[in-house]
């Protein structure tokens, strides 16, 4: 079960990393920011390959990615999450000059369908917070990483180490940490995942936790 610190105020962990003998360790304080996703800027895009049609959904309570095998046209969904780093939605702030120690993205998986393992790509992307566009479905990622979702993840939290993506977002001085979930078609073409994105349920809303100096 997730542990929430005080949202809205950057929590301070007084972690002394120097050795007991006072050697040359780094004794700088580590700050921890926790940021819930900005639901109005979250969303998903479905592409229908038969109709060549993109369907964009902004700000839903549930996000989808993968292939919906219940639809005879087998549309592909891709899910997008937005985490403001500047406190613009009342969350914690990650200063633009912060040195990233670690970053974890936690999501609550509502349902896993049609497969027991779903290879997934998680892309660092940029898209307008005013709403997704069709071109965001296939936009080139700034950086990406791979992970797997499993049938056992259904009804559970999944914590994803996104430190490399967060480091790159800081290097680029992005004001928002935005990611895209999509199925890895180099490994599978079967699977469908639903993620909880209800902002009023803070215990299951997507959460970004960043440790920085």
């Amino acid at each position: 079960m997730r542990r929430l610190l005080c949202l809205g105020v950057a929590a301070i962990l007084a972690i002394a990393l120097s050795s007991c003998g006072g050697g040359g360790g780094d004794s700088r304080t580590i700050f921890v920011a926790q940021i819930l996703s900005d639901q109005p800027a979250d969303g998903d895009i479905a592409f229908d390959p038969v109709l060549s049609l993109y369907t964009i959904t902004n700000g839903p309570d549930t996000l989808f990615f993968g292939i919906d095998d219940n639809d005879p046209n087998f549309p592909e969904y891709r899910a997008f999450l937005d985490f403001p780093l500047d406190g613009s939605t009342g969350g914690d702030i990650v200063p633009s000059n912060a040195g990233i120690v670690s970053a974890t993205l936690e999501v609550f998986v509502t349902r896993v369908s049609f497969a027991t393992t779903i290879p997934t790509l998680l892309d660092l992307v940029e898209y307008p917070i005013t709403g997704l566009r069709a071109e965001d479905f296939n936009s080139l990622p700034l950086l990406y990483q791979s992970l797997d979702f499993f049938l056992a993840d259904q009804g559970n939290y999944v914590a994803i180490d996104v430190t490399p993506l967060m480091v790159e977002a800081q290097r680029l001085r992005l004001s928002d940490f935005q990611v895209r979930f999509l199925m890895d078609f180099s490994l599978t073409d079967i699977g469908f995942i639903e993620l909880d994105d209800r902002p009023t349920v803070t215990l299951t809303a997507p959460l970004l936790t960043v440790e920085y100096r």
Side-chain angles (χ1 to χ4, degrees):
M1 186 172 181
R2 78 168 35 155
R3 181 182 63 183
L4 283 172
L5 301 174
C6 295
L7 290 173
V9 178
I12 301 175
L13 291 182
I15 301 177
L17 298 180
S18 57
S19 65
C20 296
D26 189 342
S27 60
R28 291 176 296 169
T29 299
I30 293 178
F31 297 85
V32 179
Q34 289 191 310
I35 305 167
L36 293 173
S37 72
D38 180 18
Q39 194 209 26
D42 298 342
D44 57 43
I45 304 175
F47 175 67
D48 185 321
V50 176
L51 301 176
S52 293
L53 176 69
Y54 293 93
T55 300
I56 299 171
T57 305
N58 291 299
D61 286 344
T62 302
L63 299 175
F64 303 100
F65 74 91
I67 301 293
D68 183 2
D69 279 21
N70 284 330
D71 188 313
N73 289 355
F74 301 111
E76 182 195 354
Y77 287 73
R78 298 184 179 186
F80 297 76
L81 291 173
D82 173 81
F83 299 89
L85 304 177
D86 57 3
S88 58
T89 56
D92 291 342
I93 295 173
V94 179
S96 61
N97 61 346
I100 303 302
V101 176
S102 69
T104 302
L105 171 57
E106 191 173 27
V107 294
F108 187 83
V109 179
T110 308
R111 184 175 298 176
V112 178
S113 303
F114 312 124
T116 57
T117 303
I118 302 178
T120 300
L121 296 176
L122 183 62
D123 295 342
L124 177 67
V125 293
E126 283 189 280
Y127 64 90
I129 61 172
T130 52
L132 290 164
R133 309 157 301 179
E135 56 261 40
D136 297 317
F137 185 86
N138 272 323
S139 63
L140 290 176
L142 303 171
L143 192 67
Y144 72 92
Q145 63 185 57
S146 302
L147 68 147
D148 290 330
F149 282 89
F150 303 96
L151 181 60
D153 292 331
Q154 181 169 298
N156 291 301
Y157 299 96
V158 173
I160 307 165
D161 182 355
V162 292
T163 304
L165 302 186
M166 187 65 211
V167 169
E168 181 66 4
Q170 282 293 93
R171 187 186 72 82
L172 296 172
R173 295 293 190 264
L174 302 181
S175 60
D176 290 61
F177 181 77
Q178 297 178 316
V179 292
R180 176 178 60 201
F181 289 86
L182 64 151
M183 200 161 64
D184 187 348
F185 283 95
S186 70
L187 298 174
T188 187
D189 60 359
I190 300 174
F192 196 58
I193 289 183
E194 302 177 23
L195 304 177
D196 195 324
D197 195 27
R198 293 172 292 172
T200 57
V201 186
T202 56
L203 289 180
T204 54
L207 175 69
L208 176 67
T209 301
V210 182
E211 294 186 355
Y212 66 90
R213 293 191 177 95

